[in-house]
Amino acid sequence: MLEHFIFKLRGSNNLPMDEKALTQFPIALPLKEVKALTNGIINTTDLITAADGQKYIFQKINTNIFKNTEGMMKNIDIVTTHIREKAAKSGRDPERATLHFLPASNNTLLYKNENGAYRVSKYIANTVSFEGKATEKSLEMAGRSFGTFIKDLSDLDASLLSETLPNFHNTPMRIAHFLETVKSNPANRLDSAREDVDYLISLIDEGSKLSKIKLPLRVTHNDTKTSNVLVDKTTLEPLAVIDLDTVMPGLLCHDFADSIRYSANYVAEDEKEYYRAGLDIDMYKAYAKGFIPAVSSIITKEEIDTLVQGVITIVYEQAIRFLDDYLAGDVYYHTQYSEHNLVRTRTQIGLLRDMLKRRNEMEAIARDPSLYK
Ligand code: NDG
């Protein structure tokens, strides 16, 4: 199993990305070592060793995507403080249960200068993250970790957090935007995607169902990929959920759904042989087996009833987001070739078609009484 835990390093040049910014944080300088980490694709990250041997993660935040960095760090502060308290009460090591950011000289967890916005967190020793294609075991553990995350935060008032990416999972707004793009056809690509557009338009009612149901607003992670789970290097026991940049008020089913969308498809999100896409029911079951027992003491009846609808909605929403971007001329997602967003759309459509056929099977798994003991 170890091959699934790869910790990639970009190499070492012994220079942090911004030395002046580093002096704003309470760490012992000069640095002994700097290693640039490359597994994240949004922020820029260094693993640094301070003069006293302590290791830290030094990060420059991508402010093109995260415009409200103050709100984001405030959310992270509230959430990590809460998880540390919960961990201490339940006998888990608080320093390994979540990230710990250091205050900068301005007493916030963020330092900004003309080059960007920076933050420093303690490096959690002897840990690795799940990388590469998930296995049933890693997906189950990821499910348990994300479920525990929601449970730990279930008594935190979600309205204390800012909606740092407004309307992120507002499917009706995503649909309205998509229909406008179809109408204006700005990149003249409509002809090459006619069937995909028609199929997704035919499913607008299906995609809108969830938005009509009243559900509890919780604190959710919103990027529940297996690579965002930190496990102990020796025991492989999951410890902490990382990459807290998208933590916001949201729905429980979204965190259930996005992992499944990402990891329970037979193919990767941008597989060119998109016709091979489909639901790997064993992987779906593995995630449910980890996630549901972790939330069983807090999940409401309405939430149980919408787990599967949540998965279908998130896959639908992702399909229209990719197709919208394809039709708009690739303005949001990075692409490597002109059909990239169309290929991504089709891997989502393949998964969606399969899920719509296998809804009863998915429901039976999500309602399995043994998961709610
Ligand atoms: C990005 C998106 C996420 C989406 C994923 C698809 C943002 C901030 O791409 O929503 O599901 O691969 O838009 N994140 O991570």
Side-chain angles (χ1 to χ4, degrees):
M1 227 178 101
L2 263 173
E3 69 270 26
H4 299 291
F5 305 95
I6 308 163
F7 194 51
K8 284 186 233 133
L9 298 179
R10 190 168 56 206
S12 160
N13 59 9
N14 261 336
L15 275 181
M17 51 198 156
D18 189 320
E19 264 178 309
K20 242 178 76 198
L22 257 189
T23 63
Q24 305 298 318
F25 293 91
I27 52 177
L29 297 172
L31 295 181
K32 276 192 176 153
E33 198 183 9
V34 178
K35 279 176 178 162
L37 305 185
T38 54
N39 29 358
I41 53 166
I42 292 190
N43 299 316
T44 314
T45 310
D46 283 342
L47 169 62
I48 58 175
T49 309
D52 57 4
Q54 291 293 321
K55 287 186 185 322
Y56 300 95
I57 297 291
F58 177 44
Q59 249 181 346
K60 181 176 177 183
I61 301 167
N62 183 335
T63 45
N64 285 334
I65 294 188
F66 299 110
K67 297 194 162 60
N68 178 5
T69 44
E70 275 83 10
M72 175 173 106
M73 291 313 291
K74 191 132 186 281
N75 284 356
I76 291 179
D77 194 13
I78 295 171
V79 162
T80 53
T81 305
H82 198 84
I83 294 177
R84 265 193 297 279
E85 284 168 13
K86 276 286 158 76
K89 279 187 201 147
S90 62
R92 287 175 284 156
D93 178 353
E95 289 306 315
R96 302 189 92 203
T98 189
L99 297 173
H100 194 147
F101 288 89
L102 306 186
S105 52
N106 59 10
N107 231 358
T108 73
L109 302 183
L110 189 69
Y111 172 72
K112 278 179 158 176
N113 65 16
E114 62 288 358
N115 300 323
Y118 298 87
R119 64 186 173 193
V120 174
S121 60
K122 292 184 187 173
Y123 174 70
I124 309 179
N126 199 31
T127 55
V128 282
S129 60
F130 293 118
E131 296 292 338
K133 182 147 173 48
T135 61
E136 279 178 41
K137 190 69 203 158
S138 68
L139 200 53
E140 182 186 334
M141 285 205 265
R144 176 148 48 102
S145 306
F146 288 116
T148 306
F149 180 83
I150 292 197
K151 187 187 165 203
D152 278 348
L153 298 169
S154 61
D155 57 347
L156 182 64
D157 179 0
S159 69
L160 295 174
L161 303 195
S162 317
E163 202 185 342
T164 41
L165 297 166
N167 294 309
F168 194 57
H169 284 313
N170 184 337
T171 318
M173 268 188 62
R174 300 273 188 196
I175 293 172
H177 193 276
F178 166 67
L179 291 176
E180 270 174 37
T181 310
V182 170
K183 207 163 141 200
S184 58
N185 191 15
N188 220 0
R189 286 175 164 181
L190 191 56
D191 282 347
S192 54
R194 198 74 249 185
E195 262 182 49
D196 310 276
V197 168
D198 288 346
Y199 179 68
L200 293 175
I201 288 181
S202 78
L203 287 175
I204 287 180
D205 283 350
E206 183 66 57
S208 310
K209 269 187 204 161
L210 185 73
S211 64
K212 303 198 171 94
I213 304 169
K214 194 157 166 35
L215 290 163
L217 207 54
R218 297 188 179 273
V219 178
T220 50
H221 185 276
N222 296 305
D223 192 8
T224 52
K225 295 192 190 106
T226 49
S227 57
N228 286 332
V229 175
L230 218 54
V231 303
D232 184 283
K233 205 179 195 166
T234 318
T235 64
L236 304 184
E237 195 52 30
L239 296 169
V241 162
I242 55 171
D243 193 350
L244 305 174
D245 296 345
T246 53
V247 170
M248 282 184 289
L251 304 183
L252 179 142
C253 63
H254 289 155
D255 277 2
F256 180 66
D258 213 30
S259 263
I260 290 162
R261 183 191 71 74
Y262 202 78
S263 297
N265 194 344
Y266 283 121
V267 300
E269 196 173 76
D270 51 7
E271 170 59 58
K272 286 187 182 156
E273 293 179 17
Y274 47 77
Y275 45 84
R276 292 199 289 116
L279 173 67
D280 184 336
I281 198 89
D282 292 331
M283 293 290 267
Y284 166 81
K285 198 172 180 175
Y287 192 77
K289 204 170 141 197
F291 185 90
I292 294 174
V295 297
S296 64
S297 63
I298 57 137
I299 193 168
T300 66
K301 182 181 177 306
E302 289 72 25
E303 286 176 321
I304 298 172
D305 289 343
T306 49
L307 281 173
V308 173
Q309 191 61 41
V311 178
I312 288 170
T313 306
I314 283 292
V315 179
Y316 178 76
E317 183 184 286
Q318 193 63 60
I320 58 170
R321 285 178 70 189
F322 284 145
L323 188 51
D324 189 337
D325 202 38
Y326 173 71
L327 296 175
D330 310 325
V331 293
Y332 187 89
Y333 293 108
H334 290 174
T335 50
Q336 265 109 49
Y337 54 99
S338 62
E339 311 261 281
H340 203 158
N341 271 320
L342 187 59
V343 163
R344 287 172 174 147
T345 305
R346 290 177 176 166
T347 61
Q348 303 306 294
I349 288 181
L351 180 61
L352 183 61
R353 280 187 193 278
D354 220 13
M355 284 179 166
L356 290 171
K357 273 191 249 152
R358 304 180 78 174
R359 195 197 288 256
N360 291 345
E361 235 178 303
M362 291 172 75
E363 285 288 358
I365 292 168
R367 292 171 188 280
D368 178 349
S370 74
L371 301 179
Y372 293 89
K373 275 185 197 143

